[in-house]
Amino acid sequence: MKLVVKMIVEKIKARIIINSRGEKAIEIEVNNAYASAPSGASKGKNEVVAFPKEVEDVVKDFNSVKDKFLGLKIESFEDLDQVEEVFFSLGGFERFGGNTLVALEFAILKALAKHYRLPLFKVLNPEVKEVVPRPLGNVIGGGAHALWRGPDFQEFLILPKTKTVREAVFLNAKIHRELGQILKERDKGFLGAKNDEGAWVTTLKIEEILEILSEIKEKYNVKIGVDVAASQLYKNGKYILRKENKEFSREEWIEYIKELIETYGLYYIEDPLYEEDFEGFAEVNKTKALVVGDDLTVTNIKRVMKAYEKRSVKGVIIKVNQIGSVLKAYEVVEFCKKKGLVPIVSHRSGETEDNTIAHLAVAWEVPIIKTGVVQGERIAKLNELIRIEEWLEEYS
Ligand code: PGA
Ligand code: ZN
């Protein structure tokens, strides 16, 4: 018989910390562990609200009732349902927002890992033998993440194929550096600027960038892709590329996207259409590209089921704070795996040093983690993946 000593929640407290954009973020401390939640810039309109009032007011309000969580006995991931029961009985998302529950659940899980003296991924999944996820790296960026001064597509991405995650992290970094050099030579307006996620901001056009990425694809063992974040480009039934002075009807846009996939051999394409066009996604999904929903699906099981039924996507972005609950995010991961959709655990453009998503991605054995290439808040996750891989090499 296994004797498990449950963790009792003995101390809890919320505070304000700063995130990578200099905004206020919520951190919650549980026993001897703390965790925080990220924030988006190009949010889907169907996401759970991160904060229903000023972060200060949320923190004050949460701290006024925090003792209600004391005494909870936590033994495993599933016990987060007790935490959610208390959270929702106190007013839930309307009162505290999704980010509060995410920070709270991350902190509970981290405290549990400390309680068992194990890395978090191991507590979540004792069976895991290797680091499955490979980092999808944002190397050139535009859209809302670059003040609309870069290209209209939000992210240009690379996905390495390597034996270890360590090699993948450094291959992404090498290519990121090389792209900086290439832009210096080919883009007269290039200032060496990086956006929120550490991706280079260029004045080159979409197809000029894709041309460069095709060269990278020939040279290195990487696949390439984009996050169009098309909801940001959609207005009154039309898609507008401001930077390139082009306007497309829905049908023209679908053709344009399909052509880009074909011409540049795009392996990955996220949010190619605006967030309510499940049928348009399905058109693009007829190509062999890994078509991925982010704003479309918002880590919401109902929307993911709809996307599955309509054959809109082959992959689904998992951002815990889109749905405000680790349990609910996991439900989506499970559904994806059962139905053959690729779950992709993702950071957000506004991040903290919190590394919980590295543990979730490893424990849930998802093939891809989207978490940037450089900058402190991004490498916090990448370095944790390196540590986890080493831990597994030594102990399993
Ligand atoms: P966000 O965007 O974190 O700013 O919402 C990231 C993404 O669209 O993948
Ligand atoms: Zn996205």
Side-chain angles (χ1 to χ4, degrees), residues 21 38-44 47 138 144-145 154-155 196-197 227 229 232 268 270-271 294-295 317 319 321-322 346-351 370 378:
R21 262 201 287 266
S39 90
S42 71
K43 291 186 199 158
E47 292 187 24
N138 183 1
H145 290 174
Q154 186 175 280
E155 300 167 23
D196 281 357
E197 294 189 356
D227 180 359
Q232 305 272 340
Y268 179 100
E270 185 177 324
D271 281 347
D294 174 13
D295 293 346
I317 286 283
K319 290 172 174 166
N321 82 327
Q322 281 180 325
S346 172
H347 66 166
R348 304 223 53 162
S349 52
E351 272 289 341
K370 195 178 176 211
R378 316 289 149 191

